[in-house]
Each structure stands twice: as structure tokens, then as C-alpha cells.
Amino acid sequence: LEILVTILNMNDNSPMFKQTNLTKVVPEDTKVNATIVAHEDLSASDADLDTIFYELTTIVAGTDGYFAIKGVHNPEIYLQKTLDYEKFNSTTLVLYARDKPVGSTDTTNTATATINIFIEDADTKSPWFLPCTFINTDKSICISSPYTGRVNISEMSTEPLILEPGPIYAIDPDYTLNEKIVYSIVGGDTDKVFSVDADTGNLTMNKLATSPDSYLLQVMATQVNNIQKYSIASVEIKVINKSNHAPYFESRIYNGTVCVGQAPRSFVFQAGDRSSPLMITAADDDFPNV
């Protein structure tokens, strides 16, 4: 008697990854759609020869959507969204390999692989002049206000000019890199009246300002390692007549009269003269004809 025995394959093996724990360092300026982890490093095998279904998740809050897999049957991980080192510098991904589709009611065997991602800071931002104001919630763009100062006409200042809201100063917002920044005047100073210290940003005078017209300088802050990383700030220097005298009130005491129940914003009159509004005046000997 010949007996034929057919052995049916049971789904009794879980998928297996070659590596269950991987670490990748990813530069911040990696292009979107670039491969982060290759297919061959993440492919799982199954002794039951089942079709494997993949799913990628992240376990670090705020890092969803940056990394994805090519497809449910292709575990290659690629960059889906531009990275920002200031938002996060590391995350952990979990790749699932199942022998049944997600949601299947059949018995499913699952394997997992952990991928640790570390973001490497890259030189992605141009210098920021300080002080500056952030204009978006993630604080990736900071806009500075113009600097202002003044000099006396026909008078040479030997000290760095005092500016508002502060001295000319710029930083590299890629904080971990903190590249060296140099300064230069690139516009608004055709007569070469001013110069800026390349290292400190201090603004000084080369010669007298002989015209009452204001100067609107353009100062550039440039990274030494990459001249294409630069920013421009406006510096307005007003040329004024020198002030030798302080202003003073023409009288030390002023007396006025108001009536009980008088309406708000009504005139206060001179004491003893209900027809003349009280006037408080000041003078300045630098301007005798004003």
C-alpha cells in the first residue's frame, strides 16, 4: 500500500530583520526624498515565505511626518519633510514587519526594528542682526530694525558711534556651528565718511560730515566660511548742529487758574487773566531765533 503524505505549511514563524537596532546620522540640509536607510538594510525575511507588510512609526512627540517608507512592501526609509535642527536633533523610529496586512483578523506574526536618527546641524541660516524679532511661531526667521545714530556737523568723532537700539552686532543662528562673522559697508557712503570694524562691527568716522544730509548706510554681515551666507542692515546717521547749551524754561514758576466743574480738555488760563491760556515755554541758546 502506497501512502502519500502532504505537509501543509503553518504560519508559525515570525518575520526576522537582519538588524533590529540601527543608528543613522542625518545632516540637517539633507534633500527631501533622499534615502535615509536603504531597502537591503531593513528587509525582513520569513521562513514561511509569506508576503511581508511594513509600517513605520515614530515614538518621539513632534517628529511625525519627517520620515516615511517607500511603500507597504518596500521598507526603504526616505526624508519626507525638510529638517530643522532647532526643532529637534534626534528621533526614534520603529519599523514593523508583519506577515498579514494591518487589520487582518488572521493570526499575525510581527517583528520590529528600531532606527535611531540623530540630526547633524548644518550651515543653513544666514546671520541675524541683533536685536531682532521673530515673525513665526517656530522662531526660524528673525527680523531686525534699522540702526540709528547721529553726528555733529563739521566735527570729528574719534570714538565708535553710539547707535540705537544698540551696537551693530550679528550672530550665526546655527548655534552649534557659530561661524565667525565679519562686517563691511556696502552702500550709502560714497564719500567714505564712515568705516566699520570688520571684527567688532563698531562704526567710526574717517572724516568730517560737512553736509546736513543724513546718511543711510548698508552694512553687511558675512560668514567667513561662506560669503553667500550674509545679511544686510540699514544704519541711518543723522548730521546735526552741535548742541552747546541745554534747554531751559523761561520762567521757574507758572501759575494758572481753573474753575470748579470745568470740562475735561478745557484750557487752563493764566492766573488773574481769564482771557489768556497758560503757556509753558522753553528756550535753547543753540537756537536763538526759534
Side-chain angles (χ1 to χ4, degrees), residues 232-261:
I232 303 292
S234 295
V235 183
E236 183 182 13
I237 303 297
K238 296 180 179 179
V239 181
I240 62 173
N241 291 317
K242 184 177 180 179
S243 178
N244 294 311
H245 303 89
Y248 58 90
F249 288 105
E250 295 183 330
S251 175
R252 295 183 61 187
I253 299 175
Y254 292 86
N255 296 306
T257 301
V258 295
C259 296
V260 175

mmCIF file of all heavy atoms in Angstrom, residues 232-261:
data_model
loop_
_atom_site.group_PDB
_atom_site.id
_atom_site.type_symbol
_atom_site.label_atom_id
_atom_site.label_comp_id
_atom_site.label_asym_id
_atom_site.label_seq_id
_atom_site.Cartn_x
_atom_site.Cartn_y
_atom_site.Cartn_z
ATOM 1 N N ILE A 232 21.941 92.008 5.371
ATOM 2 C CA ILE A 232 22.146 93.453 5.234
ATOM 3 C C ILE A 232 21.301 94.180 6.277
ATOM 4 O O ILE A 232 20.126 93.862 6.469
ATOM 5 C CB ILE A 232 21.752 93.942 3.822
ATOM 6 C CG1 ILE A 232 22.539 93.209 2.738
ATOM 7 C CG2 ILE A 232 21.958 95.449 3.710
ATOM 8 C CD1 ILE A 232 24.009 93.530 2.709
ATOM 9 N N ALA A 233 21.917 95.164 6.941
ATOM 10 C CA ALA A 233 21.190 96.015 7.892
ATOM 11 C C ALA A 233 21.321 97.470 7.470
ATOM 12 O O ALA A 233 22.355 97.885 6.927
ATOM 13 C CB ALA A 233 21.730 95.824 9.307
ATOM 14 N N SER A 234 20.277 98.258 7.719
ATOM 15 C CA SER A 234 20.300 99.696 7.433
ATOM 16 C C SER A 234 20.758 100.453 8.670
ATOM 17 O O SER A 234 20.337 100.143 9.790
ATOM 18 C CB SER A 234 18.911 100.185 7.017
ATOM 19 O OG SER A 234 18.511 99.587 5.797
ATOM 20 N N VAL A 235 21.624 101.452 8.450
ATOM 21 C CA VAL A 235 22.112 102.298 9.539
ATOM 22 C C VAL A 235 21.922 103.755 9.111
ATOM 23 O O VAL A 235 22.567 104.210 8.165
ATOM 24 C CB VAL A 235 23.595 102.029 9.859
ATOM 25 C CG1 VAL A 235 24.039 102.888 11.039
ATOM 26 C CG2 VAL A 235 23.835 100.556 10.141
ATOM 27 N N GLU A 236 21.022 104.472 9.787
ATOM 28 C CA GLU A 236 20.780 105.882 9.462
ATOM 29 C C GLU A 236 21.574 106.766 10.421
ATOM 30 O O GLU A 236 21.414 106.675 11.644
ATOM 31 C CB GLU A 236 19.294 106.220 9.557
ATOM 32 C CG GLU A 236 19.010 107.665 9.145
ATOM 33 C CD GLU A 236 17.551 108.052 9.277
ATOM 34 O OE1 GLU A 236 16.793 107.300 9.906
ATOM 35 O OE2 GLU A 236 17.183 109.134 8.761
ATOM 36 N N ILE A 237 22.446 107.587 9.857
ATOM 37 C CA ILE A 237 23.231 108.527 10.647
ATOM 38 C C ILE A 237 22.747 109.936 10.318
ATOM 39 O O ILE A 237 22.887 110.403 9.182
ATOM 40 C CB ILE A 237 24.739 108.402 10.360
ATOM 41 C CG1 ILE A 237 25.211 106.975 10.618
ATOM 42 C CG2 ILE A 237 25.526 109.392 11.204
ATOM 43 C CD1 ILE A 237 25.068 106.509 12.045
ATOM 44 N N LYS A 238 22.184 110.622 11.305
ATOM 45 C CA LYS A 238 21.714 111.985 11.119
ATOM 46 C C LYS A 238 22.835 112.965 11.454
ATOM 47 O O LYS A 238 23.537 112.786 12.445
ATOM 48 C CB LYS A 238 20.498 112.257 12.003
ATOM 49 C CG LYS A 238 19.290 111.400 11.646
ATOM 50 C CD LYS A 238 18.114 111.704 12.563
ATOM 51 C CE LYS A 238 16.906 110.849 12.185
ATOM 52 N NZ LYS A 238 15.742 111.102 13.069
ATOM 53 N N VAL A 239 22.997 113.983 10.613
ATOM 54 C CA VAL A 239 24.014 115.019 10.829
ATOM 55 C C VAL A 239 23.310 116.235 11.418
ATOM 56 O O VAL A 239 22.394 116.800 10.805
ATOM 57 C CB VAL A 239 24.729 115.382 9.514
ATOM 58 C CG1 VAL A 239 25.795 116.436 9.766
ATOM 59 C CG2 VAL A 239 25.340 114.134 8.874
ATOM 60 N N ILE A 240 23.722 116.629 12.632
ATOM 61 C CA ILE A 240 23.034 117.709 13.333
ATOM 62 C C ILE A 240 24.031 118.793 13.738
ATOM 63 O O ILE A 240 25.250 118.580 13.746
ATOM 64 C CB ILE A 240 22.319 117.180 14.602
ATOM 65 C CG1 ILE A 240 23.346 116.600 15.576
ATOM 66 C CG2 ILE A 240 21.274 116.144 14.239
ATOM 67 C CD1 ILE A 240 22.756 116.207 16.915
ATOM 68 N N ASN A 241 23.503 119.977 14.043
ATOM 69 C CA ASN A 241 24.331 121.040 14.612
ATOM 70 C C ASN A 241 24.687 120.695 16.051
ATOM 71 O O ASN A 241 23.875 120.135 16.788
ATOM 72 C CB ASN A 241 23.586 122.374 14.574
ATOM 73 C CG ASN A 241 23.420 122.884 13.157
ATOM 74 O OD1 ASN A 241 24.352 122.824 12.363
ATOM 75 N ND2 ASN A 241 22.233 123.383 12.841
ATOM 76 N N LYS A 242 25.893 121.004 16.441
ATOM 77 C CA LYS A 242 26.347 120.675 17.786
ATOM 78 C C LYS A 242 25.536 121.451 18.826
ATOM 79 O O LYS A 242 25.272 122.645 18.665
ATOM 80 C CB LYS A 242 27.830 121.000 17.939
ATOM 81 C CG LYS A 242 28.397 120.598 19.291
ATOM 82 C CD LYS A 242 29.883 120.864 19.371
ATOM 83 C CE LYS A 242 30.435 120.450 20.735
ATOM 84 N NZ LYS A 242 31.886 120.668 20.852
ATOM 85 N N SER A 243 25.166 120.781 19.878
ATOM 86 C CA SER A 243 24.406 121.408 20.953
ATOM 87 C C SER A 243 25.346 121.738 22.108
ATOM 88 O O SER A 243 25.911 120.851 22.741
ATOM 89 C CB SER A 243 23.295 120.461 21.437
ATOM 90 O OG SER A 243 22.580 121.032 22.497
ATOM 91 N N ASN A 244 25.529 123.057 22.363
ATOM 92 C CA ASN A 244 26.407 123.503 23.449
ATOM 93 C C ASN A 244 25.633 123.864 24.708
ATOM 94 O O ASN A 244 26.227 124.039 25.769
ATOM 95 C CB ASN A 244 27.230 124.712 23.008
ATOM 96 C CG ASN A 244 28.219 124.358 21.894
ATOM 97 O OD1 ASN A 244 28.950 123.383 22.003
ATOM 98 N ND2 ASN A 244 28.211 125.145 20.826
ATOM 99 N N HIS A 245 24.327 124.048 24.565
ATOM 100 C CA HIS A 245 23.536 124.513 25.699
ATOM 101 C C HIS A 245 22.330 123.597 25.912
ATOM 102 O O HIS A 245 21.738 123.094 24.951
ATOM 103 C CB HIS A 245 23.043 125.950 25.465
ATOM 104 C CG HIS A 245 24.144 126.927 25.200
ATOM 105 N ND1 HIS A 245 24.624 127.182 23.930
ATOM 106 C CD2 HIS A 245 24.876 127.695 26.051
ATOM 107 C CE1 HIS A 245 25.597 128.073 24.001
ATOM 108 N NE2 HIS A 245 25.771 128.403 25.278
ATOM 109 N N ALA A 246 21.981 123.433 27.149
ATOM 110 C CA ALA A 246 20.776 122.672 27.480
ATOM 111 C C ALA A 246 19.547 123.579 27.385
ATOM 112 O O ALA A 246 19.646 124.788 27.647
ATOM 113 C CB ALA A 246 20.895 122.109 28.890
ATOM 114 N N PRO A 247 18.416 123.050 27.020
ATOM 115 C CA PRO A 247 17.201 123.873 27.018
ATOM 116 C C PRO A 247 16.826 124.262 28.451
ATOM 117 O O PRO A 247 17.195 123.579 29.408
ATOM 118 C CB PRO A 247 16.149 122.967 26.384
ATOM 119 C CG PRO A 247 16.659 121.588 26.597
ATOM 120 C CD PRO A 247 18.144 121.671 26.584
ATOM 121 N N TYR A 248 16.058 125.364 28.575
ATOM 122 C CA TYR A 248 15.645 125.822 29.907
ATOM 123 C C TYR A 248 14.265 126.464 29.790
ATOM 124 O O TYR A 248 13.857 126.949 28.731
ATOM 125 C CB TYR A 248 16.646 126.832 30.479
ATOM 126 C CG TYR A 248 16.846 128.066 29.614
ATOM 127 C CD1 TYR A 248 16.053 129.209 29.776
ATOM 128 C CD2 TYR A 248 17.821 128.076 28.618
ATOM 129 C CE1 TYR A 248 16.225 130.321 28.973
ATOM 130 C CE2 TYR A 248 18.000 129.181 27.818
ATOM 131 C CZ TYR A 248 17.208 130.307 27.998
ATOM 132 O OH TYR A 248 17.373 131.406 27.192
ATOM 133 N N PHE A 249 13.523 126.423 30.893
ATOM 134 C CA PHE A 249 12.211 127.066 30.928
ATOM 135 C C PHE A 249 12.402 128.575 31.124
ATOM 136 O O PHE A 249 13.295 129.012 31.859
ATOM 137 C CB PHE A 249 11.355 126.492 32.060
ATOM 138 C CG PHE A 249 10.873 125.101 31.794
ATOM 139 C CD1 PHE A 249 11.442 124.008 32.436
ATOM 140 C CD2 PHE A 249 9.847 124.873 30.888
ATOM 141 C CE1 PHE A 249 10.998 122.729 32.193
ATOM 142 C CE2 PHE A 249 9.392 123.589 30.627
ATOM 143 C CZ PHE A 249 9.980 122.504 31.280
ATOM 144 N N GLU A 250 11.562 129.360 30.479
ATOM 145 C CA GLU A 250 11.688 130.813 30.544
ATOM 146 C C GLU A 250 11.200 131.377 31.879
ATOM 147 O O GLU A 250 11.470 132.531 32.190
ATOM 148 C CB GLU A 250 10.943 131.443 29.365
ATOM 149 C CG GLU A 250 11.572 131.073 28.023
ATOM 150 C CD GLU A 250 10.884 131.756 26.858
ATOM 151 O OE1 GLU A 250 9.669 132.026 26.974
ATOM 152 O OE2 GLU A 250 11.548 132.014 25.849
ATOM 153 N N SER A 251 10.494 130.585 32.630
ATOM 154 C CA SER A 251 10.079 131.004 33.971
ATOM 155 C C SER A 251 10.216 129.805 34.899
ATOM 156 O O SER A 251 10.000 128.661 34.483
ATOM 157 C CB SER A 251 8.626 131.500 33.949
ATOM 158 O OG SER A 251 8.192 131.804 35.264
ATOM 159 N N ARG A 252 10.588 130.068 36.145
ATOM 160 C CA ARG A 252 10.742 128.977 37.099
ATOM 161 C C ARG A 252 9.403 128.526 37.662
ATOM 162 O O ARG A 252 9.246 127.374 38.067
ATOM 163 C CB ARG A 252 11.662 129.415 38.246
ATOM 164 C CG ARG A 252 13.093 129.686 37.805
ATOM 165 C CD ARG A 252 13.951 130.050 38.998
ATOM 166 N NE ARG A 252 13.987 128.960 39.966
ATOM 167 C CZ ARG A 252 14.539 129.045 41.165
ATOM 168 N NH1 ARG A 252 15.085 130.190 41.561
ATOM 169 N NH2 ARG A 252 14.528 128.017 41.990
ATOM 170 N N ILE A 253 8.411 129.424 37.704
ATOM 171 C CA ILE A 253 7.099 129.104 38.256
ATOM 172 C C ILE A 253 6.038 129.611 37.296
ATOM 173 O O ILE A 253 6.106 130.753 36.808
ATOM 174 C CB ILE A 253 6.903 129.747 39.650
ATOM 175 C CG1 ILE A 253 7.957 129.219 40.640
ATOM 176 C CG2 ILE A 253 5.501 129.457 40.181
ATOM 177 C CD1 ILE A 253 7.888 129.896 41.999
ATOM 178 N N TYR A 254 5.031 128.784 37.028
ATOM 179 C CA TYR A 254 3.890 129.171 36.205
ATOM 180 C C TYR A 254 2.636 129.011 37.060
ATOM 181 O O TYR A 254 2.453 127.981 37.731
ATOM 182 C CB TYR A 254 3.785 128.281 34.959
ATOM 183 C CG TYR A 254 4.905 128.477 33.957
ATOM 184 C CD1 TYR A 254 6.108 127.777 34.085
ATOM 185 C CD2 TYR A 254 4.761 129.344 32.888
ATOM 186 C CE1 TYR A 254 7.136 127.944 33.180
ATOM 187 C CE2 TYR A 254 5.791 129.526 31.972
ATOM 188 C CZ TYR A 254 6.973 128.825 32.117
ATOM 189 O OH TYR A 254 7.986 128.993 31.214
ATOM 190 N N ASN A 255 1.783 130.017 37.026
ATOM 191 C CA ASN A 255 0.532 129.995 37.795
ATOM 192 C C ASN A 255 -0.649 130.030 36.840
ATOM 193 O O ASN A 255 -0.673 130.819 35.878
ATOM 194 C CB ASN A 255 0.459 131.193 38.737
ATOM 195 C CG ASN A 255 1.546 131.157 39.799
ATOM 196 O OD1 ASN A 255 1.671 130.164 40.507
ATOM 197 N ND2 ASN A 255 2.332 132.233 39.902
ATOM 198 N N GLY A 256 -1.613 129.144 37.114
ATOM 199 C CA GLY A 256 -2.787 129.085 36.268
ATOM 200 C C GLY A 256 -4.056 129.042 37.090
ATOM 201 O O GLY A 256 -4.025 128.874 38.312
ATOM 202 N N THR A 257 -5.194 129.173 36.402
ATOM 203 C CA THR A 257 -6.500 129.189 37.057
ATOM 204 C C THR A 257 -7.452 128.269 36.316
ATOM 205 O O THR A 257 -7.517 128.294 35.079
ATOM 206 C CB THR A 257 -7.091 130.615 37.070
ATOM 207 O OG1 THR A 257 -6.198 131.488 37.772
ATOM 208 C CG2 THR A 257 -8.450 130.628 37.747
ATOM 209 N N VAL A 258 -8.182 127.433 37.084
ATOM 210 C CA VAL A 258 -9.259 126.614 36.519
ATOM 211 C C VAL A 258 -10.484 126.813 37.380
ATOM 212 O O VAL A 258 -10.389 127.206 38.549
ATOM 213 C CB VAL A 258 -8.886 125.115 36.471
ATOM 214 C CG1 VAL A 258 -7.733 124.867 35.515
ATOM 215 C CG2 VAL A 258 -8.555 124.590 37.856
ATOM 216 N N CYS A 259 -11.661 126.550 36.812
ATOM 217 C CA CYS A 259 -12.918 126.691 37.531
ATOM 218 C C CYS A 259 -13.399 125.325 38.003
ATOM 219 O O CYS A 259 -13.172 124.294 37.347
ATOM 220 C CB CYS A 259 -13.986 127.329 36.640
ATOM 221 S SG CYS A 259 -13.581 129.012 36.138
ATOM 222 N N VAL A 260 -14.069 125.289 39.118
ATOM 223 C CA VAL A 260 -14.660 124.049 39.619
ATOM 224 C C VAL A 260 -15.687 123.544 38.609
ATOM 225 O O VAL A 260 -16.499 124.319 38.101
ATOM 226 C CB VAL A 260 -15.322 124.297 40.998
ATOM 227 C CG1 VAL A 260 -16.046 123.039 41.458
ATOM 228 C CG2 VAL A 260 -14.282 124.726 42.014
ATOM 229 N N GLY A 261 -15.645 122.244 38.313
ATOM 230 C CA GLY A 261 -16.595 121.664 37.361
ATOM 231 C C GLY A 261 -16.243 121.901 35.916
ATOM 232 O O GLY A 261 -17.048 121.619 35.018
#
